[in-house]
């Protein structure tokens, strides 16, 4: 089996344009995310899945410079982009980490790989953690089936929902129990300028070596930051 991490990213974001190239401590956030995920063992490829739209040329130039794997595909159909990426990089199992999820915990990627070896499921997802820390794992065969039957070419938003059809797929839920409590509506992703400013504080404190409990403890000690995040989630909703 050949495993890979796919990171869907595009620069044409209305809320926070070119966020993937915004720098924290001198490095673009996409580089920080890739470097975090490089800590995962037994992953052959980490691939940034971007679009063939000219608006992403700047991103591609950076990826080429840093020798980061990438694939360019459909602007609106992430699932098709993923499928074509599997063909180029000969991938059997994908772990998808959204480019917005810059705090994604490498331990959770490894947890999915461990569970994959124990359970023969089509899709693996983690529950019990805030949005932004958890990846989604699925077989290439699952992706192929979805792409063969889906009736839309716009899967840019909420592509994960296609994998949770229990009538079609065997879904394995991995529930994690965290020591530090957190609001149920906590969301840790990069969507707004305030998110970026909070990310600067977190990376300045921890560098790029931290795990979910580190962040939750940090937020518990900085309630004003936690309040900002909750307000952003209300805005998102």
């Amino acid at each position: 089996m050949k495993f890979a991490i796919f990171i869907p990213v595009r620069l044409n974001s209305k809320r926070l344009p070119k966020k993937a190239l915004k720098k924290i401590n001198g490095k673009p956030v996409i580089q920080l995310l890739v470097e975090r995920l490089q800590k995962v063992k037994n992953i052959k490829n980490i691939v940034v899945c971007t679009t063939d739209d000219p608006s992403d040329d700047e991103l591609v130039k950076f990826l080429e410079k840093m020798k980061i794997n990438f694939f360019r595909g459909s602007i609106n159909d992430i699932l098709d982009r993923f499928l074509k990426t599997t063909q180029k990089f000969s991938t059997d199992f994908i772990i998808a980490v959204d480019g917005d999820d810059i705090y994604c915990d490498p331990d959770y990627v490894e947890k999915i790989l461990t569970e994959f070896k124990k359970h023969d499921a089509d899709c693996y997802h983690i529950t019990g953690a805030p949005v932004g820390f958890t990846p989604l794992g699925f077989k290439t065969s699952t992706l192929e089936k979805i792409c063969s039957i889906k009736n839309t070419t716009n899967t840019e938003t909420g592509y994960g929902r296609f994998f949770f059809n229990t009538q079609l797929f065997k879904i394995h839920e991995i529930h994690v129990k965290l020591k530090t409590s957190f609001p149920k509506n906590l969301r840790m992703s990069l969507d707004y300028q305030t998110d970026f400013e909070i990310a600067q504080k977190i990376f300045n404190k921890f560098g790029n070596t931290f795990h979910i409990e580190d962040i939750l403890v940090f937020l518990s000690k900085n309630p004003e930051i936690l309040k900002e995040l909750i307000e952003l989630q209300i805005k998102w909703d």
Side-chain angles (χ1 to χ4, degrees):
M1 294 288 288
K2 295 181 180 179
F3 303 93
I5 296 173
F6 288 0
I7 309 174
V9 178
R10 60 179 305 184
L11 294 184
N12 191 17
S13 169
K14 294 179 181 179
R15 289 184 294 269
L16 189 60
K18 297 186 178 182
K19 55 188 171 183
L21 295 179
K22 282 185 170 292
K23 292 184 178 180
I24 298 177
N25 297 333
K27 292 183 178 181
V29 293
I30 185 61
Q31 183 180 353
L32 291 173
L33 179 56
V34 169
E35 289 177 353
R36 282 182 62 72
L37 296 172
Q38 285 173 340
K39 298 178 176 68
V40 178
K41 300 174 183 178
N42 302 317
I43 290 290
K44 180 180 180 181
N45 287 316
I46 298 174
V47 186
V48 174
C49 303
T50 191
T51 82
D52 51 20
D53 190 81
S55 63
D56 288 315
D57 288 350
E58 184 179 358
L59 172 62
V60 169
K61 288 180 181 178
F62 173 76
L63 297 173
E64 289 176 330
K65 177 183 177 182
M66 299 304 297
K67 297 182 179 180
I68 296 172
N69 290 329
F70 68 90
F71 179 83
R72 305 188 76 168
S74 171
I75 298 174
N76 296 317
D77 195 342
I78 285 182
L79 295 179
D80 180 75
R81 205 188 309 162
F82 279 168
L83 183 59
K84 288 183 171 59
T85 306
T86 66
Q87 295 163 357
K88 179 177 179 179
F89 289 91
S90 302
T91 305
D92 300 305
F93 187 87
I94 302 107
I95 295 181
V97 177
D98 288 344
D100 296 347
D101 293 348
I102 60 175
Y103 306 106
C104 182
D105 198 321
D107 285 354
Y108 287 168
V109 177
E110 293 186 359
K111 188 176 288 290
I112 287 178
L113 293 175
T114 299
E115 290 298 305
F116 174 76
K117 295 174 183 177
K118 297 178 180 178
H119 304 274
D120 183 24
D122 300 302
C123 175
Y124 299 74
H125 76 114
I126 294 173
T127 62
V131 172
F133 288 100
T134 59
L136 179 69
F138 49 89
K139 295 178 179 177
T140 296
S141 58
T142 306
L143 177 63
E144 290 172 340
K145 186 169 185 177
I146 290 172
C147 287
S148 70
I149 63 177
K150 66 182 177 64
N151 57 8
T152 179
T153 57
N154 188 347
T155 62
E156 181 181 9
T157 303
Y159 67 86
R161 70 186 187 277
F162 289 90
F163 294 90
F164 296 119
N165 187 330
T166 55
Q167 294 180 333
L168 292 176
F169 305 119
K170 183 179 179 182
I171 301 164
H172 181 63
E173 180 180 296
I174 307 166
H175 186 73
V176 296
K177 294 183 179 180
L178 296 168
K179 297 178 182 178
T180 309
S181 61
F182 61 91
K184 290 184 178 180
N185 59 343
L186 177 61
R187 158 205 140 280
M188 295 287 293
S189 58
L190 189 62
D191 295 300
Y192 299 98
Q193 177 62 27
T194 301
D195 288 320
F196 178 68
E197 292 167 2
I198 291 172
Q200 287 177 308
K201 295 176 183 177
I202 290 174
F203 279 88
N204 285 337
K205 179 174 177 59
F206 295 105
N208 202 10
T209 305
F210 55 80
H211 296 282
I212 184 170
E213 291 283 2
D214 299 315
I215 304 302
L216 295 180
V217 170
F218 171 78
L219 293 177
S220 69
K221 294 179 178 179
N222 294 271
E224 72 285 356
I225 295 178
L226 181 59
K227 181 181 178 183
E228 286 185 292
L229 288 168
I230 298 303
E231 289 175 348
L232 285 175
Q233 178 58 34
I234 294 172
K235 181 179 179 180
W236 176 269
D237 293 339

